[in-house]
Amino acid sequence: MEISPSVLGVDLSIVPWDLLSKHAHRLHIDVLDGTFAKGKSPFTAKKVHSLPTSMMRDVHLMTQNPQREFKQYREAGAFVVNFHVEIGRTAWRIQKARDLGLKVGLAISPQTSVEKLFPFLKEVDEFLILGVHPGKSGRPFQPGTFDKIEKLREKTHKLIKVDGGVSELNVLSLRDAGADIVIMSSALFKNQTPVQDLRVLLRLINSRSDR
């Protein structure tokens, strides 16, 4: 299992980009429009393009009309865009992203049944399960997330990502449920020692690997 840092709500000037990229392959980037989820993020396409990192840019569009932003985030270096099944017109949006050469991740919020993803198992590249209600880092983890991962894993071998509420307390259980990538913000940056904490968590995952 991999760990993907998320820098939502983090002072970007203190992020040790070069060191972080030696231990993580993906940077998770949350984009909020204030409509689909409360709050807004600073990660405009221009800002994403200017981030000083070699990590792959994994963009999570928590927006009502994500297709309007596919092109600009692709041009900013995104290799995958994730959007939510809750907003509807999913197949149409998948095709819009495909037409631009983007990989597609399909996301669900905690209140949404994992079965909503099943019609699109063959159409997308990845799945993103939110472990907290979207909009703000540090919210409490929803225990029903484990069941969603297990049910989805029974249906597909494609990549399953988990975002929100991930910490040293549940990372092993998420791995065992079938998650491939866990996304962390608060757990990595709360002590302002993200590289050290990332190393510790990776050792924990790798030293107790039953999968």
Side-chain angles (χ1 to χ4, degrees):
M1 185 171 72
E2 295 182 28
I3 296 174
S4 174
S6 169
V7 288
L8 181 64
V10 176
D11 181 355
L12 299 182
S13 68
I14 67 168
V15 177
W17 295 106
D18 289 343
L19 288 173
L20 207 57
S21 66
K22 291 181 179 179
H23 302 281
H25 300 107
R26 293 182 178 222
L27 178 68
H28 186 83
I29 300 166
D30 287 309
V31 178
L32 296 87
D33 64 357
T35 301
F36 177 81
K38 291 182 179 179
K40 289 194 175 183
S41 75
F43 295 113
T44 62
K46 184 177 180 180
K47 186 70 174 180
V48 169
H49 180 71
S50 68
L51 291 173
T53 179
S54 61
M55 285 183 282
M56 296 186 295
R57 291 160 170 80
D58 184 345
V59 176
H60 177 196
L61 296 168
M62 289 181 277
T63 62
Q64 202 63 40
N65 291 286
Q67 75 284 351
R68 296 176 182 174
E69 302 168 288
F70 288 166
K71 184 177 180 181
Q72 59 183 304
Y73 280 101
R74 185 205 65 182
E75 293 174 348
F79 84 102
V80 59
V81 289
N82 306 268
F83 58 90
H84 279 257
V85 72
E86 292 92 352
I87 59 175
R89 301 189 73 184
T90 302
W92 175 72
R93 290 188 167 94
I94 291 170
Q95 190 57 52
K96 287 287 186 181
R98 290 280 188 235
D99 290 345
L100 291 168
L102 285 162
K103 289 186 178 294
V104 180
L106 194 57
I108 55 169
S109 297
Q111 72 274 13
T112 304
S113 166
V114 72
E115 283 80 9
K116 293 289 185 180
L117 298 175
F118 291 176
F120 309 101
L121 293 175
K122 295 181 179 180
E123 278 69 35
V124 302
D125 302 285
E126 307 176 0
F127 297 95
L128 177 61
I129 297 177
L130 268 64
V132 302
H133 293 284
K136 185 178 179 182
S137 179
R139 289 180 172 178
F141 182 79
Q142 303 296 307
T145 305
F146 296 113
D147 184 56
K148 289 182 179 180
I149 298 168
E150 290 171 354
K151 287 181 177 178
L152 184 57
R153 178 53 71 210
E154 290 176 356
K155 294 287 186 178
T156 183
H157 294 293
K158 292 183 178 178
L159 207 67
I160 298 175
K161 304 177 290 188
V162 182
D163 183 14
V166 180
S167 72
E168 66 278 5
L169 299 178
N170 59 22
V171 67
L172 288 176
S173 297
L174 289 168
R175 180 205 66 187
D176 294 341
D180 299 295
I181 295 177
V182 291
I183 296 155
M184 292 188 174
S185 179
S186 300
L188 286 183
F189 292 96
K190 62 184 177 183
N191 299 319
Q192 296 189 0
T193 55
V195 175
Q196 179 181 336
D197 293 343
L198 181 56
R199 286 172 177 163
V200 169
L201 287 163
L202 287 171
R203 281 199 299 268
L204 175 65
I205 292 167
N206 294 328
S207 65
R208 293 180 55 188
S209 179
D210 304 319
R211 297 182 58 205

Short mmCIF file of all heavy atoms in Angstrom, two decimals, residues 134-186:
data_model
loop_
_atom_site.label_atom_id
_atom_site.label_comp_id
_atom_site.label_asym_id
_atom_site.label_seq_id
_atom_site.Cartn_x
_atom_site.Cartn_y
_atom_site.Cartn_z
N PRO A 134 -16.75 15.72 2.95
CA PRO A 134 -15.81 16.60 2.26
C PRO A 134 -15.89 18.06 2.69
O PRO A 134 -16.93 18.52 3.15
CB PRO A 134 -16.22 16.45 0.79
CG PRO A 134 -17.65 16.05 0.83
CD PRO A 134 -17.79 15.19 2.06
N GLY A 135 -14.75 18.72 2.56
CA GLY A 135 -14.73 20.17 2.78
C GLY A 135 -13.66 20.67 3.70
O GLY A 135 -13.24 21.81 3.62
N LYS A 136 -13.16 19.82 4.61
CA LYS A 136 -12.19 20.31 5.57
C LYS A 136 -11.34 19.16 6.09
O LYS A 136 -11.85 18.10 6.41
CB LYS A 136 -12.90 20.99 6.75
CG LYS A 136 -11.96 21.64 7.75
CD LYS A 136 -12.75 22.33 8.86
CE LYS A 136 -11.82 22.97 9.88
NZ LYS A 136 -12.57 23.61 10.98
N SER A 137 -10.03 19.38 6.16
CA SER A 137 -9.12 18.36 6.69
C SER A 137 -9.30 18.21 8.20
O SER A 137 -9.61 19.17 8.90
CB SER A 137 -7.68 18.75 6.37
OG SER A 137 -6.78 17.82 6.89
N GLY A 138 -9.12 16.98 8.70
CA GLY A 138 -9.15 16.74 10.13
C GLY A 138 -10.49 16.30 10.69
O GLY A 138 -10.63 16.14 11.90
N ARG A 139 -11.47 16.07 9.85
CA ARG A 139 -12.78 15.62 10.33
C ARG A 139 -12.72 14.15 10.74
O ARG A 139 -11.84 13.42 10.28
CB ARG A 139 -13.83 15.83 9.24
CG ARG A 139 -14.16 17.30 9.02
CD ARG A 139 -15.19 17.50 7.93
NE ARG A 139 -15.61 18.90 7.87
CZ ARG A 139 -16.47 19.38 6.99
NH1 ARG A 139 -17.01 18.58 6.08
NH2 ARG A 139 -16.81 20.65 6.99
N PRO A 140 -13.67 13.69 11.60
CA PRO A 140 -13.61 12.31 12.10
C PRO A 140 -13.88 11.27 11.02
O PRO A 140 -14.74 11.45 10.15
CB PRO A 140 -14.69 12.27 13.19
CG PRO A 140 -15.62 13.39 12.85
CD PRO A 140 -14.76 14.46 12.24
N PHE A 141 -13.14 10.18 11.09
CA PHE A 141 -13.25 9.08 10.14
C PHE A 141 -14.56 8.34 10.33
O PHE A 141 -14.98 8.06 11.46
CB PHE A 141 -12.07 8.14 10.36
CG PHE A 141 -12.02 6.97 9.42
CD1 PHE A 141 -11.54 7.14 8.13
CD2 PHE A 141 -12.44 5.72 9.83
CE1 PHE A 141 -11.48 6.05 7.25
CE2 PHE A 141 -12.38 4.64 8.96
CZ PHE A 141 -11.91 4.81 7.67
N GLN A 142 -15.20 7.98 9.21
CA GLN A 142 -16.46 7.25 9.24
C GLN A 142 -16.19 5.75 9.14
O GLN A 142 -15.66 5.28 8.13
CB GLN A 142 -17.35 7.70 8.08
CG GLN A 142 -17.64 9.19 8.06
CD GLN A 142 -18.44 9.63 9.27
OE1 GLN A 142 -19.50 9.07 9.57
NE2 GLN A 142 -17.94 10.63 9.97
N PRO A 143 -16.53 4.96 10.18
CA PRO A 143 -16.19 3.53 10.19
C PRO A 143 -16.81 2.72 9.07
O PRO A 143 -16.31 1.65 8.72
CB PRO A 143 -16.68 3.06 11.56
CG PRO A 143 -17.64 4.10 12.03
CD PRO A 143 -17.19 5.39 11.42
N GLY A 144 -17.90 3.18 8.48
CA GLY A 144 -18.51 2.46 7.37
C GLY A 144 -17.62 2.40 6.13
O GLY A 144 -17.90 1.64 5.20
N THR A 145 -16.53 3.16 6.16
CA THR A 145 -15.59 3.17 5.03
C THR A 145 -14.99 1.79 4.81
O THR A 145 -14.77 1.37 3.65
CB THR A 145 -14.46 4.19 5.31
OG1 THR A 145 -15.05 5.47 5.59
CG2 THR A 145 -13.52 4.32 4.13
N PHE A 146 -14.70 1.05 5.87
CA PHE A 146 -14.09 -0.28 5.74
C PHE A 146 -14.97 -1.21 4.92
O PHE A 146 -14.50 -1.93 4.03
CB PHE A 146 -13.84 -0.90 7.11
CG PHE A 146 -12.84 -0.15 7.95
CD1 PHE A 146 -13.23 0.48 9.11
CD2 PHE A 146 -11.51 -0.11 7.58
CE1 PHE A 146 -12.32 1.17 9.88
CE2 PHE A 146 -10.58 0.57 8.34
CZ PHE A 146 -10.98 1.21 9.50
N ASP A 147 -16.26 -1.19 5.21
CA ASP A 147 -17.21 -2.05 4.50
C ASP A 147 -17.27 -1.70 3.02
O ASP A 147 -17.34 -2.57 2.15
CB ASP A 147 -18.60 -1.93 5.13
CG ASP A 147 -19.60 -2.88 4.51
OD1 ASP A 147 -19.34 -4.10 4.50
OD2 ASP A 147 -20.65 -2.41 4.03
N LYS A 148 -17.21 -0.39 2.73
CA LYS A 148 -17.24 0.04 1.32
C LYS A 148 -16.02 -0.47 0.57
O LYS A 148 -16.13 -0.93 -0.57
CB LYS A 148 -17.30 1.56 1.26
CG LYS A 148 -18.61 2.16 1.70
CD LYS A 148 -18.59 3.68 1.55
CE LYS A 148 -19.92 4.28 1.96
NZ LYS A 148 -19.92 5.75 1.83
N ILE A 149 -14.86 -0.37 1.20
CA ILE A 149 -13.64 -0.85 0.54
C ILE A 149 -13.74 -2.34 0.25
O ILE A 149 -13.42 -2.80 -0.85
CB ILE A 149 -12.41 -0.57 1.42
CG1 ILE A 149 -12.23 0.92 1.64
CG2 ILE A 149 -11.14 -1.16 0.80
CD1 ILE A 149 -11.23 1.26 2.73
N GLU A 150 -14.18 -3.10 1.24
CA GLU A 150 -14.28 -4.56 1.08
C GLU A 150 -15.24 -4.93 -0.05
O GLU A 150 -14.95 -5.82 -0.87
CB GLU A 150 -14.71 -5.19 2.39
CG GLU A 150 -13.63 -5.13 3.48
CD GLU A 150 -14.14 -5.56 4.84
OE1 GLU A 150 -15.36 -5.81 4.96
OE2 GLU A 150 -13.32 -5.64 5.78
N LYS A 151 -16.39 -4.26 -0.10
CA LYS A 151 -17.37 -4.56 -1.14
C LYS A 151 -16.85 -4.20 -2.52
O LYS A 151 -17.06 -4.94 -3.49
CB LYS A 151 -18.68 -3.82 -0.86
CG LYS A 151 -19.49 -4.39 0.29
CD LYS A 151 -20.78 -3.61 0.49
CE LYS A 151 -21.62 -4.23 1.61
NZ LYS A 151 -22.87 -3.45 1.82
N LEU A 152 -16.15 -3.07 -2.61
CA LEU A 152 -15.61 -2.66 -3.89
C LEU A 152 -14.48 -3.58 -4.33
O LEU A 152 -14.37 -3.93 -5.51
CB LEU A 152 -15.12 -1.21 -3.81
CG LEU A 152 -14.60 -0.58 -5.10
CD1 LEU A 152 -15.64 -0.63 -6.20
CD2 LEU A 152 -14.16 0.87 -4.83
N ARG A 153 -13.65 -4.00 -3.37
CA ARG A 153 -12.54 -4.89 -3.70
C ARG A 153 -13.03 -6.23 -4.24
O ARG A 153 -12.39 -6.84 -5.10
CB ARG A 153 -11.65 -5.09 -2.46
CG ARG A 153 -10.49 -6.04 -2.63
CD ARG A 153 -9.62 -5.68 -3.85
NE ARG A 153 -8.85 -4.47 -3.64
CZ ARG A 153 -8.49 -3.65 -4.60
NH1 ARG A 153 -8.84 -3.88 -5.87
NH2 ARG A 153 -7.79 -2.57 -4.35
N GLU A 154 -14.18 -6.68 -3.77
CA GLU A 154 -14.75 -7.93 -4.29
C GLU A 154 -15.15 -7.82 -5.75
O GLU A 154 -15.23 -8.82 -6.46
CB GLU A 154 -15.98 -8.32 -3.45
CG GLU A 154 -15.65 -8.77 -2.03
CD GLU A 154 -16.90 -9.04 -1.22
OE1 GLU A 154 -18.01 -8.80 -1.74
OE2 GLU A 154 -16.77 -9.48 -0.06
N LYS A 155 -15.38 -6.59 -6.21
CA LYS A 155 -15.87 -6.37 -7.57
C LYS A 155 -14.78 -5.99 -8.57
O LYS A 155 -14.99 -6.09 -9.78
CB LYS A 155 -16.92 -5.24 -7.56
CG LYS A 155 -18.20 -5.57 -6.81
CD LYS A 155 -19.04 -6.55 -7.61
CE LYS A 155 -20.39 -6.77 -6.95
NZ LYS A 155 -21.24 -7.69 -7.75
N THR A 156 -13.63 -5.51 -8.07
CA THR A 156 -12.62 -5.00 -9.00
C THR A 156 -11.21 -5.15 -8.45
O THR A 156 -11.00 -5.19 -7.24
CB THR A 156 -12.88 -3.50 -9.29
OG1 THR A 156 -11.92 -3.03 -10.25
CG2 THR A 156 -12.74 -2.66 -8.02
N HIS A 157 -10.26 -5.23 -9.39
CA HIS A 157 -8.85 -5.22 -9.04
C HIS A 157 -8.23 -3.85 -9.29
O HIS A 157 -7.02 -3.68 -9.10
CB HIS A 157 -8.09 -6.27 -9.86
CG HIS A 157 -8.48 -7.68 -9.53
ND1 HIS A 157 -8.22 -8.25 -8.30
CD2 HIS A 157 -9.13 -8.62 -10.26
CE1 HIS A 157 -8.68 -9.49 -8.30
NE2 HIS A 157 -9.24 -9.73 -9.46
N LYS A 158 -9.04 -2.90 -9.71
CA LYS A 158 -8.53 -1.57 -9.97
C LYS A 158 -8.18 -0.84 -8.67
O LYS A 158 -8.58 -1.25 -7.58
CB LYS A 158 -9.55 -0.76 -10.79
CG LYS A 158 -9.71 -1.30 -12.20
CD LYS A 158 -10.65 -0.45 -13.03
CE LYS A 158 -10.77 -0.99 -14.46
NZ LYS A 158 -11.71 -0.22 -15.29
N LEU A 159 -7.45 0.24 -8.83
CA LEU A 159 -6.92 0.98 -7.69
C LEU A 159 -8.03 1.56 -6.82
O LEU A 159 -8.95 2.21 -7.33
CB LEU A 159 -6.04 2.11 -8.22
CG LEU A 159 -4.90 2.60 -7.33
CD1 LEU A 159 -3.84 1.52 -7.17
CD2 LEU A 159 -4.27 3.85 -7.95
N ILE A 160 -7.93 1.33 -5.52
CA ILE A 160 -8.85 1.92 -4.55
C ILE A 160 -8.07 2.85 -3.64
O ILE A 160 -7.11 2.45 -2.99
CB ILE A 160 -9.56 0.84 -3.71
CG1 ILE A 160 -10.39 -0.08 -4.60
CG2 ILE A 160 -10.44 1.49 -2.64
CD1 ILE A 160 -11.03 -1.24 -3.86
N LYS A 161 -8.51 4.10 -3.59
CA LYS A 161 -7.89 5.12 -2.75
C LYS A 161 -8.85 5.53 -1.64
O LYS A 161 -10.07 5.51 -1.83
CB LYS A 161 -7.52 6.35 -3.59
CG LYS A 161 -6.63 6.03 -4.78
CD LYS A 161 -6.35 7.26 -5.64
CE LYS A 161 -7.55 7.73 -6.39
NZ LYS A 161 -7.24 8.80 -7.38
N VAL A 162 -8.30 5.90 -0.50
CA VAL A 162 -9.11 6.36 0.63
C VAL A 162 -8.59 7.72 1.08
O VAL A 162 -7.39 7.90 1.30
CB VAL A 162 -9.07 5.37 1.81
CG1 VAL A 162 -9.97 5.86 2.94
CG2 VAL A 162 -9.49 3.99 1.36
N ASP A 163 -9.50 8.66 1.22
CA ASP A 163 -9.13 10.03 1.55
C ASP A 163 -9.95 10.51 2.74
O ASP A 163 -11.17 10.43 2.72
CB ASP A 163 -9.40 10.92 0.33
CG ASP A 163 -8.99 12.36 0.56
OD1 ASP A 163 -8.26 12.64 1.53
OD2 ASP A 163 -9.39 13.23 -0.25
N GLY A 164 -9.25 11.00 3.77
CA GLY A 164 -9.94 11.61 4.90
C GLY A 164 -9.96 10.76 6.14
O GLY A 164 -10.40 9.61 6.12
N GLY A 165 -9.43 11.31 7.22
CA GLY A 165 -9.46 10.62 8.50
C GLY A 165 -8.48 9.48 8.64
O GLY A 165 -8.54 8.70 9.59
N VAL A 166 -7.54 9.36 7.69
CA VAL A 166 -6.55 8.28 7.74
C VAL A 166 -5.45 8.65 8.72
O VAL A 166 -4.92 9.76 8.70
CB VAL A 166 -5.94 8.03 6.34
CG1 VAL A 166 -4.92 6.91 6.42
CG2 VAL A 166 -7.03 7.70 5.33
N SER A 167 -5.08 7.69 9.58
CA SER A 167 -4.02 7.93 10.57
C SER A 167 -3.35 6.61 10.92
O SER A 167 -3.72 5.55 10.41
CB SER A 167 -4.62 8.55 11.84
OG SER A 167 -5.38 7.58 12.55
N GLU A 168 -2.39 6.69 11.82
CA GLU A 168 -1.70 5.48 12.28
C GLU A 168 -2.65 4.53 12.98
O GLU A 168 -2.37 3.34 13.12
CB GLU A 168 -0.54 5.84 13.21
CG GLU A 168 -0.93 6.46 14.53
CD GLU A 168 -1.21 7.95 14.47
OE1 GLU A 168 -1.19 8.52 13.35
OE2 GLU A 168 -1.45 8.54 15.53
N LEU A 169 -3.82 5.01 13.41
CA LEU A 169 -4.78 4.19 14.13
C LEU A 169 -5.59 3.27 13.21
O LEU A 169 -6.09 2.24 13.65
CB LEU A 169 -5.75 5.08 14.92
CG LEU A 169 -5.12 5.98 15.98
CD1 LEU A 169 -6.17 6.85 16.65
CD2 LEU A 169 -4.39 5.14 17.03
N ASN A 170 -5.73 3.65 11.95
CA ASN A 170 -6.57 2.85 11.05
C ASN A 170 -5.89 2.43 9.76
O ASN A 170 -6.49 1.74 8.94
CB ASN A 170 -7.88 3.58 10.73
CG ASN A 170 -7.66 4.94 10.07
OD1 ASN A 170 -6.61 5.20 9.49
ND2 ASN A 170 -8.66 5.80 10.17
N VAL A 171 -4.64 2.83 9.56
CA VAL A 171 -4.00 2.58 8.26
C VAL A 171 -3.85 1.09 7.97
O VAL A 171 -4.04 0.64 6.84
CB VAL A 171 -2.64 3.32 8.18
CG1 VAL A 171 -1.62 2.74 9.15
CG2 VAL A 171 -2.09 3.29 6.77
N LEU A 172 -3.54 0.28 8.99
CA LEU A 172 -3.42 -1.16 8.76
C LEU A 172 -4.77 -1.80 8.44
O LEU A 172 -4.86 -2.69 7.59
CB LEU A 172 -2.79 -1.84 9.98
CG LEU A 172 -1.30 -1.58 10.20
CD1 LEU A 172 -0.84 -2.22 11.50
CD2 LEU A 172 -0.47 -2.08 9.03
N SER A 173 -5.81 -1.34 9.11
CA SER A 173 -7.15 -1.87 8.83
C SER A 173 -7.61 -1.50 7.43
O SER A 173 -8.27 -2.29 6.76
CB SER A 173 -8.14 -1.36 9.87
OG SER A 173 -7.80 -1.82 11.16
N LEU A 174 -7.25 -0.30 6.98
CA LEU A 174 -7.59 0.11 5.62
C LEU A 174 -6.85 -0.75 4.60
O LEU A 174 -7.42 -1.17 3.60
CB LEU A 174 -7.26 1.59 5.43
CG LEU A 174 -8.17 2.56 6.18
CD1 LEU A 174 -7.58 3.96 6.15
CD2 LEU A 174 -9.57 2.57 5.58
N ARG A 175 -5.58 -1.01 4.87
CA ARG A 175 -4.81 -1.90 4.00
C ARG A 175 -5.45 -3.28 3.92
O ARG A 175 -5.63 -3.84 2.85
CB ARG A 175 -3.38 -2.02 4.51
CG ARG A 175 -2.47 -2.91 3.69
CD ARG A 175 -1.33 -3.46 4.51
NE ARG A 175 -1.82 -4.36 5.56
CZ ARG A 175 -1.05 -4.88 6.52
NH1 ARG A 175 0.23 -4.57 6.57
NH2 ARG A 175 -1.57 -5.69 7.42
N ASP A 176 -5.80 -3.82 5.07
CA ASP A 176 -6.36 -5.17 5.11
C ASP A 176 -7.75 -5.24 4.48
O ASP A 176 -8.16 -6.30 3.99
CB ASP A 176 -6.41 -5.67 6.55
CG ASP A 176 -5.02 -5.87 7.14
OD1 ASP A 176 -4.05 -5.96 6.36
OD2 ASP A 176 -4.90 -5.91 8.39
N ALA A 177 -8.47 -4.12 4.48
CA ALA A 177 -9.79 -4.10 3.84
C ALA A 177 -9.67 -4.11 2.31
O ALA A 177 -10.62 -4.49 1.62
CB ALA A 177 -10.56 -2.86 4.29
N GLY A 178 -8.49 -3.68 1.80
CA GLY A 178 -8.30 -3.72 0.36
C GLY A 178 -7.86 -2.42 -0.28
O GLY A 178 -7.78 -2.34 -1.51
N ALA A 179 -7.56 -1.40 0.53
CA ALA A 179 -7.13 -0.12 -0.04
C ALA A 179 -5.72 -0.24 -0.62
O ALA A 179 -4.86 -0.92 -0.05
CB ALA A 179 -7.15 0.97 1.02
N ASP A 180 -5.50 0.43 -1.74
CA ASP A 180 -4.18 0.45 -2.39
C ASP A 180 -3.39 1.71 -2.03
O ASP A 180 -2.17 1.68 -1.93
CB ASP A 180 -4.33 0.40 -3.90
CG ASP A 180 -5.02 -0.88 -4.37
OD1 ASP A 180 -4.42 -1.95 -4.19
OD2 ASP A 180 -6.14 -0.78 -4.91
N ILE A 181 -4.11 2.81 -1.87
CA ILE A 181 -3.48 4.10 -1.55
C ILE A 181 -4.30 4.78 -0.48
O ILE A 181 -5.54 4.84 -0.58
CB ILE A 181 -3.40 5.01 -2.79
CG1 ILE A 181 -2.47 4.41 -3.85
CG2 ILE A 181 -2.91 6.41 -2.41
CD1 ILE A 181 -2.40 5.23 -5.13
N VAL A 182 -3.64 5.27 0.56
CA VAL A 182 -4.31 6.09 1.56
C VAL A 182 -3.76 7.50 1.47
O VAL A 182 -2.56 7.71 1.26
CB VAL A 182 -4.15 5.54 3.00
CG1 VAL A 182 -4.93 4.26 3.16
CG2 VAL A 182 -2.69 5.32 3.36
N ILE A 183 -4.63 8.46 1.60
CA ILE A 183 -4.29 9.87 1.45
C ILE A 183 -4.27 10.52 2.83
O ILE A 183 -5.21 10.37 3.61
CB ILE A 183 -5.29 10.56 0.52
CG1 ILE A 183 -5.18 9.94 -0.89
CG2 ILE A 183 -5.08 12.06 0.47
CD1 ILE A 183 -6.42 10.04 -1.72
N MET A 184 -3.18 11.22 3.13
CA MET A 184 -3.01 11.79 4.47
C MET A 184 -2.62 13.26 4.40
O MET A 184 -1.76 13.64 3.62
CB MET A 184 -1.93 11.04 5.24
CG MET A 184 -2.28 9.63 5.62
SD MET A 184 -1.00 8.94 6.71
CE MET A 184 -1.73 7.38 7.16
N SER A 185 -3.25 14.04 5.25
CA SER A 185 -2.88 15.44 5.41
C SER A 185 -2.58 15.72 6.87
O SER A 185 -1.44 15.88 7.26
CB SER A 185 -4.00 16.36 4.90
OG SER A 185 -3.65 17.71 5.07
N SER A 186 -3.62 15.74 7.69
CA SER A 186 -3.45 16.05 9.12
C SER A 186 -2.46 15.11 9.79
O SER A 186 -1.61 15.53 10.58
CB SER A 186 -4.80 15.98 9.85
OG SER A 186 -5.70 16.90 9.31
#
